Amino acid sequence: AQKVTQAQTEISVVEKEDVTLDCVYETRDTTYYLFWYKQPPSGELVFLIRRNSFDEQNEISGRYSWNFQKSTSSFNFTITASQVVDSAVYFCALSERRTGGGNKLTFGTGTQLKVEL
Amino acid sequence: EAGVTQSPTHLIKTRGQQVTLRCSPISGHTSVYWYQQALGLGLQFLLWYDEGEERNRGNFPPRFSGRQFPNYSSELNVNALELEDSALYLCASSLGTGGWDQPQHFGDGTRLSIL
């Protein structure tokens, strides 16, 4: 069965600090996708990134970067020079190929990030 | 482009009642997913609909049900409400079957409180 672990329940940083959110996953499949979502206080989950299991290239998008390491089953998310607007709950999720298509996401429990002035 | 819309935003019910939540997917998306986000339990997968059919369901009792209409909008019905049904119910949509790698796009959710 697939499982996603986000061991950090809550992280507090001061603005402009860098912060890394950890995500470790378990799956028996060789083909899968990993996602990160952001949930601000308003409640809506915002899609941030998708990574497939065959692409281990790291990705950078502005202040966000993602480090995918298949050898350690990790898909960590780093925010550089954090800002107050980054305060939210961040979820890592795993999707495996299913007969008939579509995807059922398995979410981690989320990491609450608080960025203070 | 309009995002996923859910109604109502908030709902207060009492034990034993029934409730219907509604979701309109992004235009062009045929798959609709429902999730329950209860305090302390994280996001739990409830149901997946595509092309009007239920494709998969999570570990929830039969009193959680739903349907998808020809325009791909969806309803989630919960019968015989219990206190532990209090949660944020999130709807998501994505491109449909074959699009298993597609990101899901979420609505703002319906916050259901059971008194």
Side-chain angles (χ1 to χ4, degrees):
Chain A
Q2 53 190 29
K3 184 180 175 183
V4 177
T5 301
Q6 294 179 258
Q8 303 151 307
T9 307
E10 187 174 316
I11 301 175
S12 288
V13 298
V14 176
E15 205 175 36
K16 295 196 179 119
E17 282 187 18
D18 297 348
V19 59
T20 295
L21 310 181
D22 297 333
C23 173
V24 174
Y25 62 91
E26 292 176 31
T27 176
R28 282 180 282 190
D29 281 10
T30 56
T31 304
Y32 52 89
Y33 276 79
L34 294 161
F35 300 82
W36 274 95
Y37 286 85
K38 173 183 179 179
Q39 187 177 37
S42 58
E44 177 186 357
L45 269 85
V46 177
F47 164 70
L48 295 177
I49 191 172
R50 173 189 66 191
R51 171 68 71 226
N52 77 52
S53 53
F54 297 108
D55 182 2
E56 287 194 70
Q57 272 196 325
N58 291 332
E59 180 153 341
I60 298 174
S61 175
R63 296 184 297 108
Y64 294 171
S65 63
W66 290 269
N67 183 309
F68 175 34
Q69 294 202 350
K70 218 165 167 178
S71 59
T72 56
S73 297
S74 65
F75 186 41
N76 296 337
F77 173 30
T78 297
I79 301 175
T80 304
S82 59
Q83 299 176 2
V84 172
V85 293
D86 295 327
S87 297
V89 180
Y90 290 85
F91 290 94
C92 180
L94 169 67
S95 171
E96 295 173 330
R97 180 180 285 277
R98 296 186 169 273
T99 302
N103 61 39
K104 171 191 149 184
L105 289 177
T106 297
F107 284 87
T109 50
T111 297
Q112 169 85 59
L113 174 63
K114 294 184 179 178
V115 181
E116 298 162 337
L117 291 170
Chain B
E1 177 187 85
V4 177
T5 57
Q6 291 187 245
S7 63
T9 308
H10 292 90
L11 211 46
I12 299 175
K13 292 285 187 178
T14 56
R15 288 178 61 190
Q17 286 189 308
Q18 177 265 341
V19 69
T20 297
L21 311 181
R22 294 179 176 81
C23 172
S24 291
I26 290 172
S27 178
H29 287 185
T30 61
S31 274
V32 170
Y33 308 81
W34 287 95
Y35 293 86
Q36 182 195 67
Q37 188 176 24
L39 206 59
L41 292 178
L43 277 152
Q44 304 292 321
F45 167 73
L46 261 167
L47 290 159
W48 164 36
Y49 290 96
D50 185 75
E51 297 288 353
E53 298 207 4
E54 183 181 299
R55 302 289 186 177
N56 201 355
R57 68 180 289 131
N59 294 327
F60 282 84
R63 57 191 186 83
F64 286 84
S65 65
R67 55 180 173 166
Q68 187 179 34
F69 299 97
N71 66 354
Y72 303 114
S73 67
S74 175
E75 285 182 351
L76 173 68
N77 299 296
V78 188
N79 295 322
L81 287 166
E82 300 179 2
L83 292 176
E84 58 262 31
D85 296 334
S86 293
L88 179 67
Y89 288 84
L90 289 162
C91 173
S93 74
S94 76
L95 295 173
T97 53
W100 72 285
D101 56 333
Q102 296 300 310
Q104 294 179 16
H105 298 272
F106 287 78
D108 290 340
T110 294
R111 188 160 297 282
L112 175 63
S113 299
I114 311 301
L115 303 179

